[in-house]
Amino acid sequence: MQTKSDILSSVESYIADFFEQQIDKQFVYHNIEHTEQVVTACLDIASNVEELSAHDLELLQLAAWFHDTGYDKGYLDHEERSCNYARQFLGAQDYPEEDIQLILGCIRATKLPQNPQSILEEIICDADLSHLGDDSYWDRCGRVRQELLLTRDIMMTEEEWVDFELDFLTNHAYHSEAAQELYDKRKQKHIRQLRKQKLRLNPKWAALVEDTVFAKKKKKKKKKKKAIPGGARELKQLNLGRGVETMYRTTYRTHVNLSSIADNKANIMLSINAIIISIIVSNLVPRFTDSPHLAVPTAILLAVCLTALVYAILSTRPKITEGKFTREDIKNKRSNLLFFGNFYNMPMDDFHWGMMEMIKDTDFLYSSMTRDLYYLGIVLAKKYRYLRICYGIFMYGLIFSVIAFGVAFLLK
């Protein structure tokens, strides 16, 4: 029979392998990272509860390691499957039946809506939702939204998602006093941030809010705003409504349409000049022996078409970028994650974290969109500059070539 310390070590290794091999990668929230976070949170909460023994801590950790293993067959009834896996593993290790029952009770208590019946069940329930009140909240809730889409085909608009999160947080309460002390303050901060997002998405919502304290705080903040020299104001100080969103949407659409038009124009020039060059090489060049007077105008026409072809290619040639920003760049708001060329070499976790940071910071989000529009404009200007040169060379070169052919025939 293994000692209890051996049990914890064996379970940790077993669960890591289980998630790697059995849990679908589409469960981007209910993954090994979440399980490890729950185990850590159990220990953090338990360290503030005096009456718990070392044995109680072991039971908590075992329950936390197994509590989401049932996701190998999906969301429904995963708690019961987790209990079965825990019983099978611990039973094979001759773990005491009485302790196994306590562990199964802790796992079942995590089922929503939670209804814990003991201090151990309260702690694991609070640990399972500890992200609501810590720094990882925005990353974890973003993963919940992604997981709902991937595994249950539930797609929500931004406003629907904010409503969902706001409803969940306002109706949630931590069960243990230790968890309340650890997480309540930051959870309330997240609720205030969600309300700000809700107000940004639906300005009329303020009139329906029953929380008068929140409304008063908004009025006080507006009164304290100071004018910035030159009339410039930070994005955070602006009342960003549908007009601003429509402006960005329209501008993006215009840029995309102009880019498409430029590519079509370049394709036309590529096709025309390629056809002319192929005709010249196959029909005119072989006649130089019999008609030497055609050599010079043919060479001029060939040079014109080849030059126009080069500029048409330059206007459509993609630019290779590094495709990577560091977390330091994102923290300092020097990144633009809205364009694929800036993130295609980044790890998925870094990109997801960066997007969550941008989404929860309105100033960062709109600044990124503004930078994206600026660089789109730079690319468009380059495209159209090359196209202007291409069409100019083709038009004037074609005129000059026709004149050269006419002179060649007259001289003959």
Side-chain angles (χ1 to χ4, degrees):
M1 176 178 175
Q2 291 180 311
T3 64
K4 292 182 180 179
S5 59
D6 289 336
I7 282 289
L8 281 174
S9 178
S10 298
V11 166
E12 182 176 352
S13 177
Y14 171 77
I15 296 300
D17 291 339
F18 186 91
F19 271 85
E20 178 65 28
Q21 299 172 13
Q22 303 297 329
I23 305 296
D24 195 313
K25 300 303 181 185
Q26 290 186 334
F27 289 103
V28 293
Y29 172 78
H30 291 96
N31 52 16
I32 188 63
E33 181 181 352
H34 166 68
T35 299
E36 291 171 344
Q37 184 181 40
V38 173
V39 173
T40 302
C42 281
L43 294 175
D44 290 341
I45 298 170
S47 65
N48 293 284
V49 181
E50 295 180 357
E51 63 266 26
L52 294 182
S53 64
H55 180 62
D56 292 329
L57 292 179
E58 181 178 278
L59 297 180
L60 267 176
Q61 292 178 78
L62 290 173
W65 280 116
F66 276 102
H67 84 286
D68 274 343
T69 51
Y71 270 92
D72 65 329
K73 291 182 174 61
Y75 166 75
L76 292 177
D77 298 323
H78 72 273
E79 294 88 1
E80 284 304 316
R81 286 193 296 276
S82 299
C83 288
N84 292 336
Y85 295 142
R87 173 180 285 282
Q88 290 172 13
F89 184 89
L90 297 174
Q93 308 301 319
D94 294 330
Y95 206 70
E97 179 62 26
E98 182 180 355
D99 290 340
I100 292 177
Q101 289 302 322
L102 291 174
I103 292 170
L104 301 187
C106 288
I107 295 174
R108 291 189 177 101
T110 61
K111 184 174 183 178
L112 296 175
Q114 295 173 342
N115 186 27
Q117 301 297 317
S118 67
I119 184 62
L120 294 183
E121 292 180 7
E122 287 182 355
I123 291 174
I124 192 172
C125 285
D126 291 341
D128 195 25
L129 296 175
S130 61
H131 72 281
L132 301 180
D134 68 20
D135 292 333
S136 67
Y137 168 72
W138 294 103
D139 174 69
R140 303 310 294 175
C141 78
R143 288 176 180 269
V144 171
R145 183 179 183 182
Q146 186 179 1
E147 184 176 296
L148 288 174
L149 177 60
L150 293 174
T151 62
R152 288 194 262 172
D153 201 26
I154 298 176
M155 179 180 292
M156 300 185 191
T157 64
E158 186 176 356
E159 186 171 358
E160 289 172 341
W161 177 249
V162 171
D163 287 339
F164 175 83
E165 283 293 310
L166 196 54
D167 180 67
F168 189 85
L169 264 71
T170 52
N171 287 293
H172 168 266
Y174 287 110
H175 304 283
S176 63
E177 292 183 5
Q180 292 168 12
E181 293 177 4
L182 286 171
Y183 306 120
D184 260 349
K185 184 176 180 180
R186 190 171 292 276
K187 190 184 84 168
Q188 293 304 318
K189 178 182 178 181
H190 294 151
I191 291 175
R192 291 193 296 271
Q193 290 172 332
L194 286 168
R195 283 173 169 165
K196 288 179 182 178
Q197 288 194 36
K198 173 69 175 177
L199 189 60
R200 175 178 62 83
L201 294 168
N202 184 7
K204 295 181 180 180
W205 175 73
L208 305 176
V209 176
E210 296 179 358
D211 189 350
T212 56
V213 175
F214 174 67
K216 287 179 181 178
K217 286 183 179 179
K218 290 295 293 182
K219 290 181 180 179
K220 287 180 181 179
K221 286 182 180 179
K222 288 182 179 179
K223 290 180 181 178
K224 290 181 180 179
K225 285 182 181 178
K226 296 180 180 180
I228 298 176
R233 300 169 70 188
E234 292 291 335
L235 283 170
K236 289 180 179 178
Q237 293 176 302
L238 297 175
N239 182 18
L240 297 172
R242 291 187 178 179
V244 175
E245 294 176 3
T246 301
M247 181 270 291
Y248 275 104
R249 188 183 303 112
T250 303
T251 308
Y252 268 111
R253 187 183 298 115
T254 300
H255 278 65
V256 171
N257 289 340
L258 287 173
S259 181
S260 178
I261 291 171
D263 290 339
N264 286 335
K265 289 179 179 291
N267 287 332
I268 292 172
M269 294 306 297
L270 286 169
S271 300
I272 291 175
N273 285 284
I275 292 171
I276 294 175
I277 290 173
S278 64
I279 292 174
I280 291 172
V281 172
S282 61
N283 291 290
L284 293 180
V285 173
R287 297 184 181 182
F288 284 174
T289 305
D290 300 329
S291 306
H293 62 286
L294 296 178
V296 173
T298 300
I300 294 173
L301 181 58
L302 191 62
V304 168
C305 292
L306 188 60
T307 305
L309 190 68
V310 168
Y311 276 99
I313 292 172
L314 287 175
S315 70
T316 57
R317 186 179 64 172
K319 180 182 178 181
I320 299 175
T321 56
E322 183 182 357
K324 184 177 182 180
F325 276 115
T326 64
R327 290 202 174 205
E328 189 65 27
D329 292 329
I330 296 170
K331 288 179 181 177
N332 294 327
K333 301 180 181 179
R334 296 194 298 264
S335 60
N336 172 24
L337 298 176
L338 299 178
F339 173 59
F340 80 94
N342 295 332
F343 62 75
Y344 67 89
N345 275 331
M346 290 177 65
M348 174 60 184
D349 288 341
D350 286 353
F351 173 69
H352 187 277
W353 176 83
M355 289 296 290
M356 292 302 103
E357 287 294 306
M358 184 174 63
I359 288 171
K360 69 184 181 183
D361 188 337
T362 305
D363 188 20
F364 189 12
L365 175 62
Y366 281 94
S367 294
S368 296
M369 292 173 68
T370 302
R371 281 196 298 271
D372 194 40
L373 286 173
Y374 173 79
Y375 288 113
L376 281 174
I378 295 295
V379 172
L380 275 178
K382 187 176 180 181
K383 280 177 177 283
Y384 277 92
R385 184 169 66 252
Y386 282 137
L387 279 175
R388 182 177 178 83
I389 294 172
C390 174
Y391 274 84
I393 291 172
F394 184 74
M395 179 178 67
Y396 293 113
L398 202 60
I399 293 172
F400 186 71
S401 298
V402 171
I403 293 173
F405 271 105
V407 171
F409 281 112
L410 289 174
L411 290 177
K412 182 182 178 182

